[in-house]
Amino acid sequence: MEQLRARYQQVETLQASFVQIMQTPYADAPDTLRGMLWLQGNRYRVETPYQTVVTDGRTTWVYLHDTRQVLINDYIPDETGFSLNEFLLTYPDRYEVSAGETIRQAGETYHRLRLRPRQPDALFQEVVLWIRDRDFLVTRVDVRDVNDTHMTFVLSDLVLNPSLSTDMFTFRLPEGVEVVDLRQ
């Protein structure tokens, strides 16, 4: 884990394609979402076919494609969300490694680490990191929360430290959209 943390401390920006799969105990089938993400510190941009979420670290914009509506709010770190970058930099305070193994899948070698929270009332009760051996990058994260919701994040086409314009983290309002400003 220390090697992994050191690796991600070297990452200033990141670009990746992702697939998010969420299975709740109340749904018959999992929900699958695909998209692209760009990260730079507490700034990020996530684009999916349904919405675009952008934050510059002060303001967050959520653009809902179908309704052509933009929600604007102050940036608030979401304690109920799962941020890989935040997790990798702060995990020792909240999680400990409970098991680890090296496996091969699809011709690649991975280190799979199972983490448990230090506090029994933590939102995420189990986290499994899949670390690709050849470049020591996390390519998959499996998370189970207190409601027994399982989320899987699969990252591909990872690019470390790409040159990203600061404009990428500011949302430009398309013409004719409804704006809902939730800031105080």
Side-chain angles (χ1 to χ4, degrees), residues 15-141:
Q15 173 183 315
S17 298
F18 72 89
V19 176
Q20 174 186 317
I21 304 163
M22 184 168 58
Q23 176 70 56
T24 67
Y26 315 105
D28 293 332
D31 286 330
T32 301
L33 184 63
R34 299 176 189 285
M36 288 286 301
L37 65 88
W38 297 265
L39 303 170
Q40 184 176 46
N42 65 346
R43 300 185 293 180
Y44 59 84
R45 180 181 199 96
V46 178
E47 295 181 358
T48 73
Y50 309 106
Q51 70 180 9
T52 299
V53 180
V54 180
T55 188
D56 61 5
R58 292 180 309 280
T59 303
T60 300
W61 298 266
V62 178
Y63 175 53
L64 307 170
H65 298 225
D66 290 347
T67 61
R68 295 192 44 79
Q69 185 179 60
V70 177
L71 308 175
I72 304 173
N73 206 345
D74 294 321
Y75 169 71
I76 302 167
D78 184 2
E79 294 178 2
T80 64
F82 186 85
S83 163
L84 179 62
N85 194 41
E86 175 72 17
F87 178 81
L88 290 173
L89 295 177
T90 64
Y91 82 89
D93 301 332
R94 298 181 295 173
Y95 290 86
E96 60 189 355
V97 176
S98 65
E101 63 184 333
T102 300
I103 61 169
R104 287 195 54 82
Q105 183 173 4
E108 289 270 4
T109 301
Y110 293 90
H111 304 284
R112 190 165 57 185
L113 297 179
R114 187 171 310 276
L115 308 177
R116 298 263 185 223
R118 293 184 186 277
Q119 300 298 320
D121 61 346
L123 177 63
F124 299 113
Q125 292 296 299
E126 182 176 63
V127 177
V128 179
L129 301 176
W130 294 62
I131 304 146
R132 191 167 52 199
D133 184 64
R134 69 178 152 94
D135 55 11
F136 227 64
L137 293 177
V138 173
T139 59
R140 177 177 168 163
V141 180

Side-chain angles (χ1 to χ4, degrees), residues 148-165:
D148 207 27
T149 296
H150 293 260
M151 294 176 283
T152 297
F153 303 92
V154 179
L155 301 171
S156 61
D157 306 319
L158 286 149
V159 179
L160 299 182
N161 298 320
S163 178
L164 299 177
S165 165

